[in-house]
């Protein structure tokens, strides 16, 4: 079974295939599931989940931590280290930069405003933001097209990080622009203008769509326009707090508050050994990918969202109307309004998102019936060196992660 998400074929910013860090001793797991192996009630074996996490660590990920839920039972586990220098162990309750998982939060906030009649899904964005998206684009690109990445507006990342222009071929890539931008405060309009200035990724409304972080910065500005409140504040009050999340929020500076791992970026082998980017100004992604959260909070959020606790059932149905979208790594995914659909044979349909920040990768999936959930985080990104232009070299981490996902989503 293959889950075509994250860490090689995901929607996350620039994908996540990366390079290896030497393995460290495996610390003990934390588990809230009943001991004694699999039972019909839980649908998972804590020992097998822990073994799968240990394999991910041994394959080269410094630290991996996760939470799996099934019918009211919960397993939390971790393997490896949060800091390769000190050997500090990674723990399942740690906070993580969750990257593009932020998009589901932003989309939910937009749908709340649709319910209030302040935003129309099929209205042109130029009617709301005429200065940012003027002319023919403003008249033809709708709010829905921004949400499901069919706007044709390209991503701004390669313009903001010019030393990555060799991506996805993996050639002539350097960390210079990552380091130059570590403490830089971007304004969203600056990044939006970079995206709009680049050659279009396609015609508005065309299929397949093309994944673009520019879309979600525009949605953040749209929220600010209709609510009169900074988008991050609105999302915090009306999505994060409404979901009852205690450890999720937008960063207020380059450092993460609370226990968290260091986050190691390999940049397809350009950084060897991988470099820690856990201290970073996340204004470069804002309402598209800046959130910090925990695996417990992510499972809680997606559970509440799919249960109708964040937006109405009608809004959720709109969010689950998918179209084919070409991800930044070239793969094709089924994408709704801030939600990704994953169909796993024999296990069912799952909804969620994945995300990447420099040095960090996260995935969160919830089955359509809400009974099965998994959230997994790793503190290494882009570990696979290119085998040929545009194609990463297979790595044992990929196989180990696939096995962990299989255990986490399908159990037995």
């Amino acid at each position: 079974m293959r889950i075509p998400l994250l860490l090689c074929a995901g929607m996350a910013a620039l994908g996540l295939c990366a390079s290896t860090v030497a393995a460290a001793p495996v610390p003990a797991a934390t588990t809230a599931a009943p001991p004694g192996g699999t039972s019909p009630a839980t649908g998972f074996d804590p020992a097998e989940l822990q073994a799968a996490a240990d394999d991910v660590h041994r394959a080269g990920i410094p630290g991996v931590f996760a939470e799996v839920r099934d019918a009211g039972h919960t397993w939390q586990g971790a393997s490896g280290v949060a800091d390769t220098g000190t050997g500090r162990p990674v723990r399942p309750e740690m906070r993580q930069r969750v990257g593009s998982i932020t998009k589901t939060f932003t989309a939910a906030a937009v749908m709340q405003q649709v319910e209030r009649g302040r935003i129309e899904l099929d209205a042109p964005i130029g009617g709301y933001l005429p200065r940012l998206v003027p002319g023919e684009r403003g008249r033809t690109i709708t709010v829905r097209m921004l949400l499901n990445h069919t706007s044709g507006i390209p991503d701004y990342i390669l313009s903001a990080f010019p030393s990555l222009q060799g991506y996805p071929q993996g050639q002539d890539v350097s960390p210079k622009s990552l380091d130059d931008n570590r403490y830089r405060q971007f304004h969203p309009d600056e990044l939006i203008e970079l995206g709009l200035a680049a050659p279009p990724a396609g015609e508005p409304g065309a299929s397949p769509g093309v994944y673009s972080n520019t879309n979600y910065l525009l949605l953040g500005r749209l929220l600010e326009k209709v609510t009169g409140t900074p988008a991050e504040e609105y999302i915090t009050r009306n999505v994060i707090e409404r979901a009852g999340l205690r450890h999720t929020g937008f960063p207020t500076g380059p450092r993460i508050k609370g226990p968290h791992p260091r986050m190691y970026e390999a940049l397809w082998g350009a950084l060897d050994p991988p470099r820690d980017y856990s201290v970073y100004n996340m204004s470069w992604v804002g309402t598209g990918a800046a959130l910090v959260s925990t695996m417990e909070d992510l499972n809680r959020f997606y559970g509440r969202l799919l249960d109708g606790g964040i937006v109405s059932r009608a809004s959720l149905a709109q969010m689950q109307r998918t179209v084919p979208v070409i991800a930044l790594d070239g793969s094709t995914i089924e994408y709704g309004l801030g939600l990704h659909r994953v169909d796993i044979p024999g296990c069912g349909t799952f909804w969620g998102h994945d995300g990447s920040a420099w040095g960090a990768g996260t995935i969160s999936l919830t089955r359509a019936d809400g009974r099965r959930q998994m959230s997994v985080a790793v503190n290494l990104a882009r570990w696979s060196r290119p085998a040929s232009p545009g194609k990463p070299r297979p790595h044992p981490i990929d196989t180990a992660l696939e096995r962990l996902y299989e255990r986490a989503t399908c159990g037995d």
Side-chain angles (χ1 to χ4, degrees):
M1 179 197 74
R2 181 173 179 78
I3 300 176
L5 267 182
L6 185 69
L7 309 170
C8 272
M11 306 157 287
L14 295 182
L16 273 177
C17 296
S19 176
T20 312
V21 166
V26 179
T30 297
T31 177
T38 306
S39 72
T42 65
F44 60 69
D45 183 337
E48 290 185 353
L49 284 169
Q50 184 60 48
D54 292 343
D55 286 344
V56 172
H57 169 56
R58 293 190 183 98
I61 292 291
V64 54
F65 50 109
E67 181 185 90
V68 177
R69 298 183 181 186
D70 188 291
H73 296 267
T74 301
W75 171 84
Q76 293 181 332
S79 186
V81 297
D83 187 325
T84 59
T86 66
R88 174 170 58 95
V90 70
R91 307 303 304 172
E93 68 276 7
M94 283 183 164
R95 304 185 80 209
Q96 169 90 334
R97 296 198 190 278
V98 299
S100 286
I101 289 174
T102 306
K103 289 179 172 64
T104 310
F105 288 74
T106 299
V110 170
M111 295 308 297
Q112 290 176 351
Q113 291 302 303
V114 171
E115 293 170 12
R116 290 167 173 78
R118 295 175 179 170
I119 295 175
E120 294 183 19
L121 280 176
D122 296 309
I125 189 60
Y128 299 101
L129 302 172
R131 184 187 64 80
L132 275 177
V133 195
E136 183 65 18
R137 269 179 160 170
R139 291 189 292 270
T140 56
I141 294 172
T142 66
V143 175
R144 186 189 301 274
M145 293 175 192
L146 297 174
L147 285 161
N148 66 11
H149 297 295
T150 59
S151 70
I153 300 174
D155 205 293
Y156 59 81
I157 289 179
L158 294 182
S159 297
F161 292 83
S163 70
L164 305 183
Q165 289 291 340
Y167 176 84
Q169 287 77 18
Q171 299 171 343
D172 300 324
V173 170
S174 90
K176 182 179 185 305
S177 53
L178 273 69
D179 294 329
D180 290 346
N181 291 334
R182 185 187 284 265
Y183 297 103
R184 180 175 176 179
Q185 181 68 32
F186 284 99
H187 190 280
D189 291 2
E190 174 186 2
L191 299 169
I192 290 167
E193 289 170 5
L194 289 175
L196 289 170
E203 293 295 322
S207 182
V210 178
Y211 190 87
S212 173
N213 285 286
T214 313
N215 293 325
Y216 274 74
L217 293 192
L218 278 165
L219 291 167
R221 298 294 277 153
L222 173 62
L223 280 172
E224 293 178 357
K225 179 67 179 290
V226 301
T227 66
T229 303
E232 289 86 351
E233 290 184 19
Y234 179 87
I235 294 168
T236 298
R237 290 201 306 265
N238 295 279
V239 178
I240 295 172
E241 292 178 3
R242 185 169 180 174
L245 310 185
R246 297 180 300 167
H247 306 291
T248 300
F250 288 95
T252 56
R255 298 183 180 276
I256 300 173
K257 297 178 181 178
H260 63 277
R262 292 186 180 274
M263 299 170 187
Y264 298 100
E265 179 62 49
L267 207 62
W268 306 286
L271 287 170
D272 188 11
R275 187 174 299 166
D276 173 26
Y277 284 99
S278 55
V279 177
Y280 211 93
N281 185 322
M282 294 301 289
S283 63
W284 68 281
V285 280
T287 51
L291 273 181
V292 175
S293 190
T294 64
M295 301 308 99
E296 179 182 17
D297 269 9
L298 291 181
N299 280 338
R300 181 186 297 272
F301 167 69
Y302 281 107
R304 289 293 306 276
L305 178 68
L306 296 181
D307 195 38
I310 308 297
V311 300
S312 69
R313 293 288 185 181
S315 292
L316 180 61
Q318 291 285 341
M319 294 178 74
Q320 293 177 320
R321 290 175 55 184
T322 65
V323 296
V325 168
I326 299 173
L328 294 180
D329 66 347
S331 62
T332 300
I333 57 180
E334 286 297 317
Y335 202 88
L337 309 185
L339 276 176
H340 180 65
R341 173 177 174 149
V342 181
D343 294 309
I344 304 176
C347 298
T349 295
F350 287 75
W351 296 93
H353 218 291
D354 63 347
S356 170
W358 305 127
T362 312
I363 182 171
S364 186
L365 293 177
T366 294
R367 200 167 63 194
D369 63 7
R371 290 172 60 89
R372 186 79 175 203
Q373 296 185 277
M374 80 156 191
S375 292
V376 178
V378 297
N379 65 342
L380 173 68
R382 284 160 282 273
W383 51 81
S384 291
R385 299 171 184 264
S388 60
K391 294 183 179 180
R393 181 178 294 131
H395 195 285
I397 291 174
D398 307 324
T399 301
L401 275 170
E402 196 170 307
R403 289 172 180 162
L404 175 59
Y405 297 160
E406 179 178 345
R407 288 293 182 191
T409 54
C410 296
D412 302 313

